[in-house]
Amino acid sequence: MSEYETFQHGKPRFDQNTFSGRFRHFLDVIDPSTLFVSERRLQESVELLDRFKQGTLPPGVTDTQAIIHPDTGEKILMPFRMSGFIPFGTPVVVGLLLPNQTLVSTIFWQGLNQSHNACVNYSNRNASKPAPASKFFQGYLGAVTSAVSIAVGLNVLIQKSSRFSPTTRLLVQRFIPFPAVATANVCNVVLMRHSELSEGISVLDDNGNVVGTSKVAAKHALLETALTRVVMPMPILMLPPIIMAALEKLPLLQRRRRLVLPVHSLVCLAAFGLALPLAISLFPQMSQISVNQLEPEIAMATDCKVVTYNKGL
């Protein structure tokens, strides 16, 4: 028997009203093993889901066999799935935190990071309303411009500062990626999903039926997503410099400098693995909002006091 509750279509198997339930849910979502699900296995899952809807599941099928994406049903490219965020994003984080960054390397790593983020944001957006490709490019250009401008500007200021010793300057430079990435992440989310603000997103009643389209709900969705994008890089970009500053003083790493990069990579991987599920668990993916906070036409279209919207990831 499965240790989880009976499978219900469209509903996560863990309680989304608690942080621990959301954390367990997103540990499943980011599980890298799902990157290697074959086309045949995926098609089998689609067929199982169809049979579940029809009430004709064969005997012996367990809940854990229903592994299809619950939202759009679209197949997302491997590097842009949430399950691919850590394995494909960690090398970029290592690059962002490399010491002695040049102008060219700063631009390269910040640009690569925001390119990846833009694709992840677009692939995991609220897809209830179509978004033109032009919004994708606006978000990409805005995020890269902000990230590179902040990172380069801070680097120039620190290099010109005479108050820092060489050792202190090197340590401070390692923290520069955080304000650049956090600011760019917010720009990325807002610009990539700007069409949601202008057109609104679908809100659902207790039965999952679309009540209407709300711009207010879209603002809440983008605010919640933007907050997760500020929280996420905190441990990813701030813990490794602190940990590596201590580890690099160890005799082993002093003698064998070639081990510094592999150790640095493992530290970044651990920080990423901790930060991602914690950040995206701050808010439920399917969030709720009182109809009194929404447009009058939404309140008139339903008897529900609270409606639901997909904030995206």
Side-chain angles (χ1 to χ4, degrees), residues 11 31 34 48 58 60 64 71 124 130 132 175 197 210 238 240 268 270 279 285 290 299:
K11 295 184 179 180
D31 181 2
T34 61
L48 278 177
T64 53
D71 294 329
N124 294 278
F175 288 96
L197 293 175
V210 176
M238 298 187 74
C268 290
Q285 181 173 353
S290 170

Side-chain angles (χ1 to χ4, degrees), residues 78 87 270:
M78 189 182 293

